[in-house]
Amino acid sequence: MKQIHLLVWTATLAVLAGCGSAAAEPGASAPAATKLAVVATTPEVADFVRNIGGADVDVTQIIKPNVDPHEYEPTPADLQAIASAELVVKNGVGLEEWLDRTIESAGFKGTVVDSSQGVTLREGGHHEEEAEGEHAEEEGEEHDPHIWHDPRNAEIMVTNIQKGLAAADPAKADAFAKNLTAYTAELDKLDSDNAAAWAEIPAADRKLVTNHDAFGYYIARYELEFVGSVIPSLDTSAELSAKQLTDLVAKIKATGTKAIFAESSLPPKTTEAIAQQAGVKVIAGEDALFGDSLGAPGTPEGTYLGAERHNTQVIVDALAG
């Protein structure tokens, strides 16, 4: 179905391009572009591009806040933006499985920057790690795409972005390098602040249950214990079986886990039901974690740094109580 939609959108894009050409006056010249036109796929990647590119880039963000990237389906506007871009920046690690076909349909011939290059990837998720035998081998081929939840990975991502921007617009390379230095310092501070916050929580209380398995890199970085997730998968397409639900409730009780954390881009209904059965509090609403997305534009949580600070503060406060 998605492929059919892309074919229709490609035809639409061609018609729009034709209309634009017909409307232009003979001999008229387009104004010189002063900013590098960049398409960024996810809210996190778009925020990175804005911080490194500064006033020298014009960023079109494909996936809007609180939209599930695992289930995203591109629109005609996305194709048009990609067709007009000089650079496309993606998260990578298979998160944007729709992107390659969309780029082909848009006729984009420019550079695609994979911000995940050089990041040490987790193989599979926690549920795959717990699998045994032949099933584990099949699932182990998948890598966890939620790389940005470790600030050290975010530093690799923004470095890749800076290199991509500099190659596309060499005249602005010094500005991009300066922005990278300043932003990397902020990422370092985020990491040290997170570590300091977790140092106040006893190791026995550092237990995490979330909507889906999106925090593997965060858990590894700050030495937490993954108890389970409502959706037993790295993406959001799976569902708990009755046995898995019963097992998760039992594990929450047995481990003394204090809370279940909902996520901003996923409905909290099942999370609330499991929390009620397990007799623990559910953290949702304004306190929901940003697992796959960022907050609304113009809010502190609308930036990567703000969303990650929010996540740490919410989790630490809940587990300390």
Side-chain angles (χ1 to χ4, degrees):
M1 183 61 73
K2 290 184 179 181
Q3 189 169 0
I4 294 173
H5 287 168
L6 285 172
L7 290 173
V8 173
W9 295 338
T10 304
T12 303
L13 187 61
V15 171
L16 290 172
C19 292
S21 299
E25 295 183 9
S29 58
T34 57
K35 295 185 178 183
L36 186 67
V38 182
V39 166
T41 55
T42 68
E44 296 83 9
V45 169
D47 188 55
F48 291 156
V49 175
R50 293 187 190 102
N51 277 280
I52 304 306
D56 296 312
V57 297
D58 185 8
V59 183
T60 299
Q61 177 181 319
I62 297 292
I63 301 177
K64 301 302 184 283
N66 291 326
V67 173
D68 182 358
H70 302 285
E71 297 295 323
Y72 188 73
E73 192 167 324
T75 69
D78 297 337
L79 269 83
Q80 195 165 4
I82 290 172
S84 304
E86 299 169 76
L87 200 68
V88 172
V89 183
K90 67 178 182 177
N91 179 83
V93 204
L95 184 65
E96 305 98 334
E97 60 178 25
W98 47 269
L99 184 60
D100 287 345
R101 341 184 260 282
T102 307
I103 284 174
E104 182 179 357
S105 298
F108 176 75
K109 303 299 183 184
T111 301
V112 177
V113 175
D114 183 346
S115 65
S116 71
Q117 290 298 307
V119 172
T120 300
L121 302 177
R122 296 180 63 245
E123 282 199 15
H126 290 97
H127 294 277
E128 285 78 3
E129 291 169 3
E130 294 169 359
E132 294 180 354
E134 184 176 336
H135 177 68
E137 291 181 7
E138 293 173 358
E139 296 293 339
E141 295 175 1
E142 183 181 14
H143 288 101
D144 185 347
H146 306 89
I147 55 177
W148 62 90
H149 286 305
D150 184 335
R152 300 172 303 178
N153 291 343
E155 291 190 19
I156 295 173
M157 296 172 77
V158 294
T159 299
N160 289 330
I161 290 169
Q162 181 268 329
K163 291 176 181 176
L165 295 177
D169 191 352
K172 305 291 177 54
D174 288 346
F176 299 146
K178 182 178 179 180
N179 293 342
L180 175 65
T181 298
Y183 193 67
T184 298
E186 293 193 68
L187 293 174
D188 285 337
K189 186 176 188 306
L190 171 68
D191 188 35
S192 61
D193 287 348
N194 284 350
W198 279 110
E200 300 297 319
I201 304 298
D205 292 334
R206 299 178 188 177
K207 297 180 172 69
L208 197 62
V209 179
T210 56
N211 261 124
H212 80 299
D213 194 359
F215 292 89
Y217 294 95
Y218 184 94
I219 288 168
R221 174 67 184 110
Y222 302 112
E223 300 179 340
L224 315 185
E225 178 184 345
F226 178 78
V227 175
S229 58
V230 176
I231 300 173
S233 175
L234 290 171
D235 62 31
T236 56
S237 59
E239 294 183 3
L240 278 177
S241 66
K243 181 180 185 305
Q244 287 174 316
L245 190 153
T246 301
D247 289 347
L248 178 58
V249 169
K251 192 172 183 181
I252 290 170
K253 292 179 177 180
T255 57
T257 300
K258 294 182 177 181
I260 302 179
F261 297 89
E263 296 174 39
S264 65
S265 57
L266 295 170
K269 186 175 180 180
T270 305
T271 302
E272 291 168 347
I274 291 175
Q276 185 174 11
Q277 290 186 46
V280 298
K281 57 188 174 184
V282 60
I283 309 299
E286 292 184 356
D287 289 334
L289 303 184
F290 296 101
D292 277 333
S293 189
L294 300 181
T299 66
E301 295 79 17
T303 68
Y304 168 78
L305 294 170
E308 293 296 310
R309 291 188 186 108
H310 165 92
N311 287 349
T312 296
Q313 190 65 57
V314 165
I315 300 171
V316 166
D317 284 352
L319 300 187

